[in-house]
Amino acid sequence: MANLTKSSEKTLRVAIAGLGPIGKGAAEALDQGIDGLSLAAVSVQNPEKHRNWLGTLKNPPAVLPIEGLSDVADVVIECAPAKLLRSIVAPFVERGKTAIVLSAGALLENEDLIELARQNGGQIVVPTGALIGLDAVTAAAVGEIHSVRMVTRKPVRGLAGAPFLVENNIDIESIKEPLKIFDGTAREAAKGFPANLNVAVALSLAGIGPDRTRLEIWADPALTRNVHRVEVDSDSARFSMSIEGIPSENPKTGRITALSVIALLRKQRAALRVGT
């Protein structure tokens, strides 16, 4: 995160787009205090809905429309509906600022934003989110990765309503045993499950790309957690990793995703930084 690790002692102003579990978690952490960072503004579709909650913060931020965030902040945390990604990210990166992106799947349909950031000295950062081991995948990608396969198992509530299920008339509401509902690439999964599989896209971006990263998705009525298992074969190491994430109040989002954003923010001015 080049823009977030400058030696300057200037306080970095952070804006948050979206106040679901991730946005609220980041806002509370910033309000409680993270060295060198301050919460400058938030943007939400329904400000009145969040007015009372924002009033509980020690230093309530400004509530602005999306297009006003880049005027008052150096960094934006995008944790809004995927369709809003471009309107949130573009104004920041074209001004040489930083966008922390949670809707990683939407990046695949807005890949020109990466070039826009490159041309203007901006940066797009995808947090680790609900996965583990992305450092290992990133390191292996410096050499040659032969294959990456991910198997995701989720409770029915965490997958219900996904466009892939609707388009293919797949009913998972009444299943009694695990059902494999998808087997394909990370790029295909991002289109079919835009609110569910940002982790697969993050994995693909860290490794061999969305067209070579393979993914299975299972709906499991017995599960209460989101289970991800990743297997990587490379010229430097063969490894696997798995995690069982506890869903947040939004069944499509794991609690650890919000915590990974907070951990990312805390790294920026920390005296000790562990991991790449």
Side-chain angles (χ1 to χ4, degrees):
M1 295 179 65
N3 289 15
L4 287 177
T5 54
K6 295 177 181 177
S7 58
S8 168
E9 290 304 311
K10 173 189 173 185
T11 297
L12 287 166
R13 303 164 299 166
V14 181
I16 300 174
L19 285 179
I22 298 171
K24 282 185 175 180
E28 288 172 345
L30 286 162
D31 188 60
Q32 290 165 10
I34 296 179
D35 287 347
L37 281 71
S38 66
L39 178 60
V42 299
S43 183
V44 289
Q45 291 181 312
N46 184 356
E48 190 60 37
K49 175 182 175 182
H50 300 281
R51 191 173 304 281
N52 290 341
W53 180 84
L54 287 167
T56 66
L57 300 179
K58 291 183 293 184
N59 298 292
V63 181
L64 302 174
I66 287 172
E67 55 268 24
L69 296 179
S70 61
D71 292 328
V72 301
D74 308 296
V75 181
V76 66
I77 302 172
E78 177 279 317
C79 40
K83 64 183 179 182
L84 298 176
L85 177 128
R86 187 174 197 88
S87 62
I88 295 166
V89 173
F92 276 82
V93 298
E94 69 184 4
R95 296 171 71 170
K97 298 182 178 184
T98 297
I100 298 173
V101 169
L102 276 297
S103 301
L107 272 180
L108 299 185
E109 297 188 4
N110 293 275
E111 292 186 84
D112 63 302
L113 289 175
I114 300 171
E115 182 59 29
L116 183 65
R118 183 181 294 112
Q119 291 174 354
N120 293 283
Q123 190 173 52
I124 297 171
V125 180
V126 179
T128 300
L131 278 187
I132 58 174
L134 287 192
D135 274 6
V137 177
T138 302
V142 175
E144 181 181 359
I145 295 179
H146 305 308
S147 65
V148 178
R149 186 167 188 86
M150 177 175 172
V151 179
T152 288
R153 299 176 184 272
K154 285 198 170 195
V156 170
R157 289 180 63 235
L159 292 164
F164 181 87
L165 300 180
V166 175
E167 292 166 8
N168 291 279
N169 295 314
I170 300 173
D171 179 16
I172 61 172
E173 300 288 347
S174 58
I175 61 173
K176 304 299 182 184
E177 57 186 26
L179 176 68
K180 183 166 75 170
I181 56 176
F182 178 85
D183 190 340
T185 68
R187 186 182 299 276
E188 293 165 341
K191 292 179 180 179
F193 301 86
N196 310 88
L197 272 302
N198 288 307
V199 288
V201 176
L203 173 66
S204 75
L205 294 174
I208 54 176
D211 297 310
R212 292 180 59 201
T213 302
R214 302 293 304 182
L215 176 68
E216 282 183 27
I217 305 173
W218 291 73
D220 190 336
L223 288 181
T224 57
R225 300 185 178 189
N226 302 321
V227 181
H228 306 294
R229 179 174 178 81
V230 178
E231 296 182 352
V232 179
D233 183 23
S234 75
D235 63 355
S236 60
R238 180 179 296 167
F239 55 95
S240 61
M241 47 199 173
S242 62
I243 183 171
E244 295 183 12
I246 299 172
S248 66
E249 61 195 62
N250 177 351
K252 295 179 173 62
T253 302
R255 292 184 189 179
I256 200 169
T257 303
L259 300 181
S260 80
V261 174
I262 296 169
L264 174 66
L265 294 173
R266 287 179 176 172
K267 274 187 176 184
Q268 306 320 311
R269 297 288 170 83
L272 173 65
R273 178 168 178 164
V274 179
T276 55

